[in-house]
């Protein structure tokens, strides 16, 4: 009796070991924005190829930290790493880090002004001035002159922004920094900044809550969040002077516009992109991959997954409210993926 | 003989093991303090005491000053205390002195139940019920009638210091009132009986009981304050999250706990992380000081009753 029990437990131990050996597990951490599509990808891919993924959406900053410390196999971020951060990884982990764009998102300007109805128009100049506290009322000349035919009320503008550090804020402030000198000098860009005016809400839902509840409020949220929740949002004037509504097409157009001058390392900001159909507050989200991983079998798996994500994976994007990569960018990514050292 | 020896060693082992467990608590507190000091070394060294007195919080320029957060935490907690204290003491007096038995039990139970509601639930209630009510009904009225006071100047956002104070008040009422009730009930019955025997009214005897329990009530208050100081989610959801110091209750503010919760995940530079950890250290110090004071007061009171 005892003997058979021991035998059975021995067999079980062997079986357990066997499965862990056969099934590879890849650990990743980082951005929350692409979490939905990444979980879908990991789920589908692991069913097809038997690789297990464990992704923790702890935020872009956290992802970069973990990649630097070498506690994960890959990272994810909405804000490209700085040169100093890349140097620090090279120093600690002895490998370069590749930025692979996976999908795109956009930041939309949502507002609560029943008198204005839908499709309010905004220019970069007006938006910057509102967030700098230089335009404080809705019937300001600079707003009414671009919204002819709308009867904008004499009401205070309540500015809302994210209170938590976020990739969304990073894209938004990157845009404001590009279009406004005053913003560039006094505020700058980052996951959180020293806001001159406004109320802070935690997360997209916090900002949306502030805006929904306060008449006269303006705020910024992710495109996916705005579409899912049916928020009303403004058309933004782009570099060519056209007013563009944020859609998956206009976001992809921005990436295509930026693809012409894409730097070799793919770390590029596509805010205020050229192209007549480009929505100006768009951005990539990246996976952070070690170019030269110690565990080559893992590197091989990651490269395989990335190739799949660039092809079949892109098909999942629209249904999950992400903008897919334009073809030009996919080609560049594939070239980049080929440089991962797998042997 | 042998058996007795065995039981003595058993007692010793038992005593030493439990003592070891107790020391774990000490070790935990010291380790926490040590880790926080170590984590904030960079900003401690770089900003020094200036960290406590400057108001700029600029992650882009890597410049940090904690004053708006310290102010926000203290202001919102004190405001909460001003609202919660009279209510809680009233509840405690009613429960320990006046309530009939059949009412005391369910009311005490409900009060303690309030303490068990997660703070995020209070926060959601704050966003969807309290804030709109403040914005539409309360704050315009306050501005109209008391707008000349700096305390009530500004725009009726709804979100702000006032909303945070009210939410915190609701959250600490159960703590203060249930501890106060225990304090009042611990006062010997003879005190009341003596007062009544001398022809005192119910109100007069209650006054005597309150005077006896003064230090215990103060202790309860400080424990409530400690809870308010550390509260994170509910506050961050309604306070407006703006790192500014303003005299007006209607203006948005920020707090130490909420800035940590908000910004830690995306803090990328070393100085940024270090500054956030230093804020945690300050918060830790403030809570410890408050709790120590509370314990000392409660302790001095129980000692007084043991000796008499």
């Amino acid at each position: 009796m005892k003997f058979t029990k021991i035998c059975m437990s021995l067999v079980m131990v062997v079986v357990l070991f066997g499965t862990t050996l056969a099934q590879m597990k890849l650990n990743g951490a980082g951005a929350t924005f692409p979490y939905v599509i990444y979980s879908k990808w990991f789920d589908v891919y692991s069913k097809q190829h038997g690789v297990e993924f464990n992704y923790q959406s702890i935020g872009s900053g956290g992802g970069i930290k973990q990649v630097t410390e070498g506690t994960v196999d890959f990272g994810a971020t909405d804000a490209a790493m700085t040169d100093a951060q890349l140097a620090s990884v090279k120093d600690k982990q002895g490998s370069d880090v590749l930025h692979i764009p996976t999908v795109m998102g956009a930041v939309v300007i949502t507002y609560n002004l029943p008198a204005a109805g839908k499709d309010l128009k905004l220019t970069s100049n007006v938006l910057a001035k509102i967030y700098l506290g230089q335009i404080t009322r809705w019937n300001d000349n600079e707003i009414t002159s671009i919204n002819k035919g709308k009867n904008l009320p004499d009401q205070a503008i309540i500015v809302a922004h994210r209170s938590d550090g976020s990739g969304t804020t990073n894209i938004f402030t990157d845009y404001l920094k590009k279009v406004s000198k005053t913003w560039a000098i006094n505020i700058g860009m980052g996951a959180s900044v020293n806001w001159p005016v406004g109320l802070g809400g935690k997360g997209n839902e916090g900002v949306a809550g502030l805006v929904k509840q306060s008449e006269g409020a303006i705020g910024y949220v992710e495109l996916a969040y705005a579409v899912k929740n049916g928020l009303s949002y403004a058309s933004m004037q782009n570099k060519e002077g056209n007013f563009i509504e944020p859609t998956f097409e206009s976001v992809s157009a921005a990436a295509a516009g930026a693809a012409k001058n894409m730097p070799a390392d793919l770390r590029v900001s596509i805010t205020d992109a050229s192209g007549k159909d480009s929505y100006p507050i768009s951005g990539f989200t990246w996976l952070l991959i070690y170019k030269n991983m110690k565990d080559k079998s893992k590197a091989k798996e990651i490269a395989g997954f990335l190739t799949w994500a660039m092809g079949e994976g892109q098909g999942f994007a629209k249904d999950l409210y992400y903008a897919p990569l334009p073809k030009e960018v996919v080609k560049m990514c594939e070239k980049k993926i080929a440089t991962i050292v797998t042997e | 003989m042998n058996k007795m020896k065995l039981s003595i060693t058993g007692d010793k082992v038992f005593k030493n093991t439990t003592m070891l467990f107790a020391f774990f608590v000490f070790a935990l507190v010291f380790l926490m303090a040590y880790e926080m000091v170590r984590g904030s070394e960079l900003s401690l060294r770089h900003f020094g005491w200036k960290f406590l007195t400057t108001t700029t919080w600029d992650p882009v320029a890597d410049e940090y000053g904690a004053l708006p957060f310290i102010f926000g935490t203290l202001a919102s907690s004190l405001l909460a205390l001003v609202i919660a204290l009279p209510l809680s003491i009233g509840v405690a007096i009613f429960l320990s002195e006046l309530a009939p038995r059949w009412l005391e039990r369910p009311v005490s139970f409900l009060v303690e139940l309030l303490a068990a509601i997660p703070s995020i639930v209070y926060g959601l209630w704050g966003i969807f019920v309290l804030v709109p009510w403040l914005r539409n009904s309360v704050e315009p009225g306050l501005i109209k009638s008391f707008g000349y006071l700096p305390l009530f100047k500004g725009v009726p956002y709804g979100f702000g210091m006032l909303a945070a104070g009210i939410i915190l008040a609701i959250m600490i009422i159960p703590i203060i009132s249930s501890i106060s009730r225990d304090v009042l009930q611990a006062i010997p019955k003879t005190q009341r009986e003596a007062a009544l025997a001398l022809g005192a009214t119910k109100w007069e005897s209650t006054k005597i009981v309150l005077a006896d329990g003064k230090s215990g009530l103060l202790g309860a208050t400080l424990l409530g304050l400690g809870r308010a100081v550390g509260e994170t989610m509910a506050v961050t959801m309604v306070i407006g999250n703006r790192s500014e110091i303003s005299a007006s209750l209607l203006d948005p503010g920020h707090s130490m706990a909420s800035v940590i919760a908000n910004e830690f995940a995306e803090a990328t530079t070393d100085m940024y992380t270090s500054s956030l950890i230093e804020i945690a250290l300050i918060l830790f110090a403030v809570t410890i000081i408050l709790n120590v004071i509370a314990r000392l007061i409660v302790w001095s009171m129980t000692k007084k009753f043991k000796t008499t």
Side-chain angles (χ1 to χ4, degrees), chain A residues 209-251:
Chain A
L210 281 171
V211 172
K212 262 189 196 163
Q213 292 205 6
S214 325
E215 208 178 305
I218 189 167
Y220 62 92
V221 293
E222 268 164 22
L223 170 63
Y225 185 85
V227 171
K228 270 186 257 178
N229 291 280
L231 304 179
S232 58
Y233 40 78
S235 298
M236 288 297 306
Q237 189 181 40
N238 67 11
K239 223 175 183 173
E240 325 273 319
N242 301 329
F243 286 96
I244 304 292
E245 211 182 301
T247 59
F248 302 121
E249 288 74 24
S250 63
V251 174

Side-chain angles (χ1 to χ4, degrees), chain A residues 65-80:
Chain A
K65 265 185 225 161
Q66 300 229 4
V67 166
T68 311
E69 298 304 324
T71 47
V72 287
D73 301 315
F74 63 92
T77 182
D78 302 333

Side-chain angles (χ1 to χ4, degrees), chain B residues 138-192:
Chain B
V138 180
E139 294 188 349
L142 282 176
I143 294 170
K144 223 175 170 184
S145 359
F146 302 107
Y148 53 89
L149 293 172
L151 211 53
F152 298 111
K153 248 183 204 144
V155 188
Y157 290 121
F159 295 90
M161 205 52 96
L162 184 62
I166 294 176
I167 283 271
L168 282 175
I170 298 172
M171 296 177 75
I172 63 177
I173 282 173
I175 296 170
I176 303 183
S177 54
S178 61
I179 298 175
S180 303
R181 187 205 56 201
D182 290 347
V183 166
L184 294 182
Q185 280 175 349
I187 291 165
K189 262 227 158 69
T190 47
Q191 298 286 97
R192 300 177 179 84

Side-chain angles (χ1 to χ4, degrees), chain A residues 31-32 58-62 64-65 85 156 158 161 163-167 186-202 209-210 213-215, chain B residues 56-61 126-129 131-132 135 155-157 159-160 233 236-237 239-244 252 254 261-269 272-273:
Chain A
T32 45
I58 54 171
S60 300
I64 291 173
K65 265 185 225 161
Q85 285 168 339
I158 298 174
H161 55 76
S163 64
D164 50 333
S166 136
N186 296 313
I187 316 295
M189 65 172 286
S192 42
V193 299
N194 187 15
W195 297 98
V197 289
L199 297 168
K202 191 165 168 18
L210 281 171
Q213 292 205 6
S214 325
E215 208 178 305
Chain B
T56 319
W57 186 264
D58 188 345
V60 180
I127 287 188
F128 291 113
V129 182
V131 165
R135 183 180 48 242
V155 188
Y157 290 121
F159 295 90
M233 272 323 288
T236 197
M237 287 166 89
I239 200 169
N241 299 311
R242 175 150 192 73
S243 60
E244 216 170 50
H254 219 318
N262 270 311
E263 298 188 7
F264 199 80
E266 293 289 338
T268 34
T269 68
Y272 197 177
T273 325

Side-chain angles (χ1 to χ4, degrees), chain A residues 95-290:
Chain A
S95 165
D96 288 315
V97 168
L98 302 176
H99 283 68
I100 310 289
T102 49
V103 284
M104 280 170 302
V107 176
V108 307
I109 309 302
T110 176
Y111 59 94
N112 177 355
L113 199 65
K118 283 200 164 181
D119 32 81
L120 184 79
K121 289 189 179 108
L122 291 174
T123 62
S124 56
N125 181 37
V126 166
L127 186 66
K129 280 187 174 168
I130 290 176
Y131 272 85
L132 282 164
Q134 292 170 349
I135 294 179
T136 56
R137 301 199 81 81
W138 280 107
N139 64 347
D140 192 290
N141 259 339
E142 295 199 57
I143 308 180
T144 49
S145 63
I146 46 174
N147 285 287
K148 287 195 177 115
K150 274 199 196 311
N151 194 7
L152 295 173
D154 180 17
Q155 197 169 5
I157 301 176
I158 298 174
V159 175
H161 55 76
R162 290 282 288 267
S163 64
D164 50 333
S166 136
T168 312
T169 301
N170 194 67
I171 293 175
F172 185 68
T173 49
D174 174 43
Y175 173 65
L176 290 182
K177 188 184 160 191
K178 276 188 194 166
V179 297
S180 157
K181 264 204 185 122
T182 324
W183 189 276
I185 294 167
N186 296 313
I187 316 295
M189 65 172 286
S192 42
V193 299
N194 187 15
W195 297 98
V197 289
L199 297 168
K202 191 165 168 18
N204 283 304
E205 62 283 3
V207 172
L210 281 171
V211 172
K212 262 189 196 163
Q213 292 205 6
S214 325
E215 208 178 305
I218 189 167
Y220 62 92
V221 293
E222 268 164 22
L223 170 63
Y225 185 85
V227 171
K228 270 186 257 178
N229 291 280
L231 304 179
S232 58
Y233 40 78
S235 298
M236 288 297 306
Q237 189 181 40
N238 67 11
K239 223 175 183 173
E240 325 273 319
N242 301 329
F243 286 96
I244 304 292
E245 211 182 301
T247 59
F248 302 121
E249 288 74 24
S250 63
V251 174
S252 288
K260 286 167 210 146
N261 330 316
M262 196 93 154
D265 59 7
L266 307 181
R267 282 188 297 158
V268 69
S269 139
I270 56 169
T271 54
D272 200 28
S274 51
K276 64 180 184 8
D277 300 320
S278 304
Y279 179 71
I281 326 179
S282 310
F284 285 120
T285 182
W286 294 270
L287 279 174
L288 302 172
I289 309 295
Y290 295 111

Side-chain angles (χ1 to χ4, degrees), chain A residues 22-25 44-52 301:
Chain A
Q23 199 168 37
M24 184 178 292
K25 195 168 184 182
V44 174
Y45 190 79
S46 71
K47 273 182 194 142
Q48 289 176 0
H49 298 82
V51 191
E52 210 182 310
E301 284 297 343

